Amino acid sequence: MEWRGTAWFGSSGRSALRPRLLALGLLAFGCLAPGLLDPATLAAQSAETIDAQEEERMLREAAAYEWRGSTDQAEEVLTGLLERWPASSGGLFALERILRSRSRIALVLPWADRYLEVEPNSSGVRYMKLRVLVEVDSLSALDEAAEAWFDSQRGSADPYREVARLYARAFDDRRALEILERGRRALRGDAAQSALIAMEMGDLLARLDEGEAAIAAWSDGVRGGEGERELTFPRLDRIAAEDPLRLDPLLDALMAEPSTPEKRRTAVRLALSLGRAERTRTLTESAMRTLDAGERVALLAEVAQRADEAEEPEIRLWALREQRSRTQGRDARSLDVRIASAALAVGDTAAALEARTRLARSLPAGSDERRRVIADLIRVEAERASPRTLLDRLRGFEMEYPEAVELDELAARVAGAVAARGEGESALAVLEGRTGPRARLERAYLHLDAEEIEEGRAALDAALPALAPSTATGVIQLLDLLGSLGERAAGEVARWSAVAHWGDVARAGRSAGEIVHELPEEDRSAVLAQSARWLEEAGLDEEAGALWAGLVSTHLESPEHAEAIYRLARIQSRRADGLSEARALLQQLIVEKPESAIVPAARRELQRIGRGSE
């Protein structure tokens, strides 16, 4: 052998011998003493080191080629980079992207192996390798790659979780579950990592429709670590769809000591999402015992917000009231506004009045904000307060705000409420001297309630120009109806129209319907139709439908006959078994009464029914 050849010595002859002999000796020593120099170290020694600037330059060059569509040149630059520095993560993932676009993804595997020789703990590259093996259907190599990942990160749950997800795709959920069970055994000494495995197992078991086992796994997960962060609420809701009590073990696990504020909040959120109102309150009260004053208020605020999102108004109201009892100043006023709204949503008028009264007292006299609050208070009280209380409220409001824009509306509302409680004279006294449109309209209904038909019609005519279109339409229909009826029928319709206006629409509809047979024949169909309209407005479809059906069958020549067919068809269309009859009625109306003004609406309704049955 020629020892002086430049292939061995280089151009400098013996001057290069010592470092090369040293390298040869180190390599031989590494072969003789395995473990002192591992493969990663040898790979790092054999690779050419480049600085960050050169790596960045080559990555930019490859990106420029890729952007221009020259993927072959981009691939060449990236493989050149990885030849010089196998542990370039940017180069490796860019190469994966290029090879994937060229349907050559399998070619990235050798480069991934070289990277892992230098950086064996890289989770991202290990995951990439397994994913590519699944994609190219190299399942025989998958187990070996998975084992290598487990060995490289023995104390972490991540390899087991990621491998399980890939195995679920490549094989099935049962194989994935085996991986997780193995990981749980391997990590049983580390509560936090074992908890992460348990949470993953719970998700997998839920997907396998093993609800009880899933709940047990999740419960273990939240007891052992911070598994509550990984709970998937839609999946929990599905498991508890038939029996919300199934998740009680999980709620208990979240609250079990040693718990954390985050776990307790998760328990409250979960109970809310399950519609467990009482359990939500119990859990919140329990959680608050471990918190300081500020944290309690924050928890109650979160419960109120989440209850609103979960459409649990009673829990929202409870949380807001509890929060209000711990709050002062401006924040307290803001809470009173929300409490009043929440109380009205659940029909708790007393709580709404209490909140608004407290709010009004806390605001400066004469302020616009106080004016709005007192006006709202009068609106709420109009539904339940005594006439004396209402009159006092209105009088006090007018003294403090004589020019308030709400006066016309509030006076009309109070007058109507007082009249509905049987004190017509007091109602008229409230309206005396008031000329606003709402006051005029209310005065008209007071006349109608007293069966003073001409005065009532005149007052309706006077109020009409200033009314909103939606209100004006009903007033015009009432004026037309009163003008078409005889004295007895007009008196009955006038009286019951006032009752309907003051809120008791169902009573108006039923009462008017009961006296139809006592009226002259020529007025019966019109009064019967008005009675049915009121019943329908009150949501009493069955009763309204019976009256419309009577009109259809017995008043064939009446002006209301076409409307009766249309209205009966609408009611039938809202029933699961009524679509065929609704369709037949509409077709009858279109054929038999083509000149009726209601036919265009009937055609639209027929089209709507047709679309709904497709």
Side-chain angles (χ1 to χ4, degrees), residues 126 142-152 163 167 179 182:
R126 292 225 179 252
L142 197 57
D143 287 337
E144 182 182 347
E147 292 296 334
W149 194 357
F150 299 152
D151 288 340
S152 71
V163 169
Y167 270 45
I179 293 294
R182 176 182 167 186

Side-chain angles (χ1 to χ4, degrees), residues 68-100:
R68 292 197 295 267
S70 301
T71 52
D72 53 344
Q73 292 172 294
E75 180 182 342
E76 183 178 346
V77 171
L78 292 171
T79 54
L81 168 60
L82 293 170
E83 284 281 1
R84 297 173 63 186
W85 179 234
S88 170
S89 58
L92 181 61
F93 285 106
L95 180 63
E96 180 202 11
R97 185 178 63 251
I98 294 294
L99 292 173
R100 189 181 300 281

Side-chain angles (χ1 to χ4, degrees), residues 31 55 167 199 238 293 325 418 496 580:
C31 294
E55 181 185 19
Y167 270 45
M199 299 307 297
R238 286 195 296 274
S325 69
V418 169
W496 296 119
S580 296

Side-chain angles (χ1 to χ4, degrees), residues 304-458:
Q305 178 186 344
R306 293 193 182 280
D308 190 27
E309 294 168 356
E311 297 182 355
E312 292 287 346
E314 291 184 356
I315 287 296
R316 176 174 179 250
L317 176 59
W318 170 80
L320 288 171
R321 295 180 77 172
E322 289 291 319
Q323 188 181 355
R324 172 64 178 81
S325 69
R326 296 167 170 81
T327 308
Q328 301 294 327
R330 183 182 296 274
D331 290 340
R333 291 200 293 269
S334 174
L335 283 168
D336 279 328
V337 173
R338 296 170 64 194
I339 288 169
S341 173
L344 290 175
V346 300
D348 191 343
T349 309
L353 290 173
E354 179 186 349
R356 289 193 185 280
T357 302
R358 194 166 53 233
L359 180 60
R361 288 172 179 165
S362 71
L363 295 169
S367 66
D368 286 343
E369 189 176 0
R370 176 177 159 86
R371 189 196 80 236
R372 288 191 292 269
V373 169
I374 296 176
D376 283 341
L377 183 60
I378 293 172
R379 293 183 186 106
V380 174
E381 284 188 315
E383 298 178 6
R384 66 188 298 273
S386 68
R388 182 55 48 203
T389 298
L390 288 174
L391 293 171
D392 288 345
R393 288 280 194 196
L394 180 65
R395 191 177 299 111
F397 179 83
E398 191 165 15
M399 288 177 63
E400 188 172 348
Y401 300 100
E403 304 297 326
V405 295
E406 299 93 345
L407 268 175
D408 177 51
E409 177 235 330
L410 294 178
R413 193 180 292 269
V414 168
V418 169
R421 292 164 175 74
E423 298 194 15
E425 291 185 7
S426 296
L428 281 171
V430 169
L431 299 174
E432 187 175 354
R434 302 186 190 277
T435 58
R438 292 290 299 272
R440 286 179 175 176
L441 181 64
E442 209 60 42
R443 191 178 291 111
Y445 279 105
L446 286 169
H447 285 304
L448 293 178
D449 182 53
E451 296 190 34
E452 298 169 350
I453 308 300
E454 294 307 316
E455 293 87 341
R457 291 180 62 189

Side-chain angles (χ1 to χ4, degrees), residues 202-364:
D203 290 347
L204 195 53
L205 288 163
R207 203 160 67 229
L208 290 166
D209 290 328
E210 296 184 19
E212 299 299 332
I215 293 167
W218 285 322
S219 299
D220 289 345
V222 299
R223 281 194 192 95
E226 298 180 346
E228 71 278 359
R229 299 180 180 180
E230 309 218 355
L231 286 173
T232 306
F233 276 65
R235 185 168 292 164
L236 292 171
D237 290 342
R238 286 195 296 274
I239 287 178
E242 295 181 4
D243 180 13
L245 297 178
R246 291 180 74 185
L247 288 177
D248 273 358
L250 182 55
L251 291 173
D252 294 338
L254 287 163
M255 296 298 292
E257 295 298 340
S259 188
T260 64
E262 181 60 32
K263 287 184 180 180
R264 296 186 184 98
R265 281 194 291 270
T266 301
V268 171
R269 287 178 55 202
L270 178 55
L272 262 176
S273 74
L274 297 174
R276 303 280 302 280
E278 268 314 304
R279 191 73 196 270
T280 300
R281 286 182 61 166
T282 303
L283 293 171
T284 305
E285 289 167 347
S286 175
M288 285 196 296
R289 285 195 288 270
T290 66
L291 303 175
D292 62 31
E295 290 171 330
R296 290 173 187 171
V297 171
L299 176 60
L300 288 165
E302 183 179 356
V303 171
Q305 178 186 344
R306 293 193 182 280
D308 190 27
E309 294 168 356
E311 297 182 355
E312 292 287 346
E314 291 184 356
I315 287 296
R316 176 174 179 250
L317 176 59
W318 170 80
L320 288 171
R321 295 180 77 172
E322 289 291 319
Q323 188 181 355
R324 172 64 178 81
S325 69
R326 296 167 170 81
T327 308
Q328 301 294 327
R330 183 182 296 274
D331 290 340
R333 291 200 293 269
S334 174
L335 283 168
D336 279 328
V337 173
R338 296 170 64 194
I339 288 169
S341 173
L344 290 175
V346 300
D348 191 343
T349 309
L353 290 173
E354 179 186 349
R356 289 193 185 280
T357 302
R358 194 166 53 233
L359 180 60
R361 288 172 179 165
S362 71
L363 295 169

Side-chain angles (χ1 to χ4, degrees), residues 94-138:
L95 180 63
E96 180 202 11
R97 185 178 63 251
I98 294 294
L99 292 173
R100 189 181 300 281
S101 72
R102 304 185 72 190
S103 301
R104 291 151 50 95
I105 188 59
L107 297 182
V108 80
L109 291 170
W111 297 108
D113 288 336
R114 289 194 64 187
Y115 184 103
L116 291 170
E117 288 176 355
V118 181
E119 297 286 350
N121 293 327
S122 172
S123 296
V125 175
R126 292 225 179 252
Y127 180 77
M128 181 190 79
K129 179 180 178 180
L130 266 72
R131 189 181 69 239
V132 171
L133 288 172
V134 171
E135 289 178 20
V136 300
D137 206 26
S138 183

